[in-house]
């Protein structure tokens, strides 16, 4: 492994398999930040279960709170935990607790605590490492600050202890203030005698479309940003079969929809027609079909449930790029010239479409699905062969 000596988040890290790859990896690591360069570290390649372990150490009392270690599994043919694997939705899988024996879980926690104490880390420590096949624990990266993104390891592991985002952040502030011998800030709770009743908001996230990872991120952000003083927030995961499942804190922080699907308790399924019984408002955080094409909107209107965004007709029209452009053109707007190609027609007479393309669009041209979003499968083609 080749890495810069003073960077984080896996910037500039490479796995070198043969001597001919070394020079390029050294240069990449050395100059990842600026032209001045920095020293480069070469490490042995460690094989085993990759983990990250977070723990809280009270700055004054030194009391320790352990969170369950997370196992990291790379996807998309990645061999190391790169920046993309860490932060791009769906690019890696997290298993919390890590899939090893209870004895090894405890051994990981104890080793990480010793490493944190040796380095005099206080309040929060996130220690990364490997559990080798022979039971040896190898520490590769101690962190004094944790990522605070909605699905970061910190929140993911804390959720297994029953701590949500707000509770954990407030706890951190309280710990730090106690470490400085300052009075903790009191978080005012809603008056129990207050007559105002909270609005129950169901947040739909996930879904069967290609944009499900983006939807997971969007919906999770909505859940975390809604005021708990005004709303009872109900995260509802829409799975690959378009079925509804309520999400606990520990499921909500998962990094990908695949992880959530893997751990769902199928006995908790909620039927769509039960929505009026459990909520007052539906926040649609779905991307693509069926959240953007009017299908969910139609269902909610049948149930007389208010929701965010446009209605059935507008949603259905705007999900179809070709129909949208046709409509806008009829209203006097300038839109790109286009051809809608159906599979059956294409197979019957490809030459006819090539003639149309050259006549109407020419090359280069843009090819896209007519009913997807987020630039999924959009391509620029420069010639007939492409």
């Amino acid at each position: 492994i080749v890495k810069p000596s003073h960077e984080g988040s896996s910037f500039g890290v490479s796995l070198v398999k043969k001597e001919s790859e070394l020079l390029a990896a050294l240069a990449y690591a050395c100059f990842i930040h600026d032209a001045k360069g920095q020293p480069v570290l070469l490490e042995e390649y460690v094989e085993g279960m990759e983990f990250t372990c977070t723990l809280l150490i009270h700055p004054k009392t030194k009391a320790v709170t352990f969170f369950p270690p997370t196992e990291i599994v790379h996807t998309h043919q990645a061999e190391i935990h790169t920046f993309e694997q860490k932060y791009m939705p769906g690019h890696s899988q997290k298993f919390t607790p890590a899939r090893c024996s209870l004895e090894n879980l405890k051994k990981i926690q104890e080793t990480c605590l010793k490493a944190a104490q040796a380095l005099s880390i206080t309040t929060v420590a996130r220690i990364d490492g490997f559990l080798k096949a022979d039971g040896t624990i190898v520490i590769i990266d101690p962190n004094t600050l944790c990522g605070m993104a909605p699905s970061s390891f910190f929140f993911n592991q804390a959720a297994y202890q029953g701590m949500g985002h707000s509770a954990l952040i407030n706890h951190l502030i309280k710990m730090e203030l106690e470490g400085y011998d300052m009075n903790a800030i009191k978080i005012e709770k809603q008056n129990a005698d207050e007559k105002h009743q909270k609005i129950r908001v169901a947040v739909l996230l996930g879904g069967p479309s290609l944009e499900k990872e983006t939807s997971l991120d969007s919906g999770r952000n909505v859940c975390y940003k809604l005021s708990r003083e005004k709303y009872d927030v109900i995260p509802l995961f829409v799975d690959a079969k378009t079925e509804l499942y309520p999400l606990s804190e520990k499921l909500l922080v998962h990094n990908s929809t695949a992880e959530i699907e893997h751990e769902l308790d199928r006995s908790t399924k909620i039927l769509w027609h039960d929505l009026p019984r459990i909520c007052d408002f539906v926040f649609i955080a779905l991307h693509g079909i069926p959240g953007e094409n009017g299908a969910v909107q139609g269902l909610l209107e049948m149930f007389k449930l208010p929701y965010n965004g446009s209605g059935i007709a507008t949603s259905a029209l705007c999900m179809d790029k070709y129909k949208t452009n046709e409509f806008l053109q009829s209203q006097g707007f300038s839109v790109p010239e286009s051809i809608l190609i159906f599979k059956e027609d294409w197979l019957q007479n490809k030459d006819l479409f090539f003639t149309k393309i050259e006549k109407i669009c020419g090359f280069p041209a843009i090819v896209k699905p007519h009913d997807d979003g987020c630039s999924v499968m959009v391509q620029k083609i420069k010639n007939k062969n492409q």
Side-chain angles (χ1 to χ4, degrees):
I1 298 290
V2 178
K3 60 174 73 170
S5 60
H6 296 97
E7 294 293 334
S9 293
S10 298
F11 286 122
V13 179
S14 303
L15 170 62
V16 175
K17 295 183 176 180
K18 49 190 177 182
E19 189 176 338
S20 59
E21 298 172 345
L22 181 58
L23 188 59
L26 289 168
Y28 174 56
C30 179
F31 300 108
I32 188 69
H33 184 69
D34 56 35
K36 294 179 182 177
Q38 62 180 290
V40 176
L41 182 64
L42 274 71
E43 292 181 344
E44 64 167 313
Y45 178 67
V46 180
E47 292 190 80
M49 183 194 78
E50 188 166 358
F51 69 80
T52 186
C53 180
T54 308
L55 45 97
L56 302 180
I57 305 173
H58 196 287
K60 190 171 184 179
T61 67
K62 306 304 179 187
V64 179
T65 303
F66 286 107
F67 292 152
T70 298
E71 175 188 355
I72 299 157
V73 179
H74 310 134
T75 54
H76 300 282
Q77 290 75 51
E79 295 179 283
I80 58 175
H81 202 39
T82 62
F83 178 83
E84 289 74 19
Q85 289 283 314
K86 285 183 179 180
Y87 297 111
M88 296 298 104
H91 276 240
S92 68
Q93 284 188 291
K94 304 171 184 174
F95 292 93
T96 308
R99 298 174 298 177
C100 61
S101 67
L102 290 175
E103 181 185 357
N104 279 328
L105 283 174
K106 187 176 180 182
K107 190 176 178 182
I108 288 170
Q109 290 176 325
E110 290 174 348
T111 306
C112 290
L113 175 59
K114 289 177 182 177
Q117 289 172 334
L119 295 164
S120 299
I121 298 175
T122 61
T123 313
V124 182
R126 203 199 85 208
I127 313 294
D128 302 333
F130 284 87
L131 171 64
K132 296 174 71 173
D134 64 2
T136 303
I137 294 174
V138 180
I139 302 298
I140 60 166
D141 191 12
N143 299 271
T144 55
L145 290 174
C146 288
M148 292 286 177
S151 63
S152 66
F153 292 118
F154 189 36
F155 292 125
N156 184 292
Q157 293 172 10
Y160 277 81
Q161 306 290 76
M163 297 182 75
H165 285 60
S166 297
L168 182 55
I169 291 170
N170 287 331
H171 183 65
L172 285 180
I173 294 170
K174 182 174 180 286
M175 285 174 62
E176 293 288 11
L177 290 172
E178 288 174 355
Y180 285 99
D181 289 321
M182 296 172 67
N183 291 326
I185 298 172
K186 293 182 180 179
I187 308 298
E188 293 295 331
K189 294 183 178 180
Q190 186 179 14
N191 191 329
D193 298 327
E194 189 177 347
K195 292 182 180 180
H196 175 71
Q197 200 171 11
K198 291 182 183 179
I199 298 170
R200 299 170 301 169
V201 179
V203 181
L204 303 182
L205 63 159
S209 80
L210 291 169
E211 301 176 72
K212 56 191 176 185
E213 305 303 337
T214 308
S215 172
L216 172 60
D217 225 23
S218 294
R220 182 166 45 218
N221 194 44
V222 171
C223 290
Y224 294 151
K225 297 300 189 294
L226 283 170
S227 169
R228 292 305 196 269
E229 292 183 0
K230 296 179 181 178
Y231 309 108
D232 275 331
V233 183
I234 308 163
L236 291 181
F237 181 71
V238 183
D239 75 352
K241 295 180 180 178
T242 325
E243 294 178 337
L244 296 177
Y245 294 90
L247 293 184
S248 62
E249 287 284 356
K250 71 176 185 179
L251 287 179
L252 186 61
V253 297
H254 276 331
N255 193 46
S256 70
T257 57
E259 291 177 26
I260 294 175
E261 294 253 10
H262 177 74
E263 292 192 26
L264 276 179
D265 179 356
R266 298 290 173 175
S267 69
T268 64
K269 183 172 77 169
I270 293 173
L271 300 177
W272 284 87
H273 64 248
D274 284 335
L275 284 175
R277 180 176 56 81
I278 67 169
C279 69
D280 308 304
F281 183 94
V282 175
F283 196 106
I284 305 173
L286 299 170
H287 295 265
I289 297 171
E292 285 191 79
N293 69 345
V296 169
Q297 289 81 358
L299 203 63
L300 296 177
E301 290 195 14
M302 285 173 59
F303 299 150
K304 295 181 170 52
L305 271 174
Y307 58 88
N308 58 305
S310 299
I312 303 169
T314 297
S315 300
L317 175 64
C318 291
M319 196 67 213
D320 189 320
K321 295 174 169 59
Y322 183 74
K323 293 290 185 185
T324 301
N325 280 357
E326 274 196 323
F327 177 79
L328 289 175
Q329 193 169 42
S330 73
Q331 301 299 306
F333 291 90
S334 295
V335 297
E337 296 292 341
S338 61
I339 305 164
L340 184 63
I341 302 177
F342 292 92
K343 182 180 178 180
E344 295 79 8
D345 297 336
W346 172 262
L347 293 174
Q348 285 178 11
N349 193 344
K350 295 180 183 178
D351 290 335
L352 176 62
F353 279 107
F354 282 127
T355 302
K356 286 184 177 180
I357 291 168
E358 289 172 355
K359 182 179 180 182
I360 297 175
C361 303
F363 295 106
I366 299 295
V367 177
K368 62 176 73 171
H370 79 103
D371 62 353
D372 242 309
C374 284
S375 299
V376 173
M377 293 183 287
V378 176
Q379 300 172 72
K380 179 181 179 181
I381 56 170
K382 298 179 181 179
N383 53 56
K384 182 176 177 179
N385 290 334
Q386 293 180 335

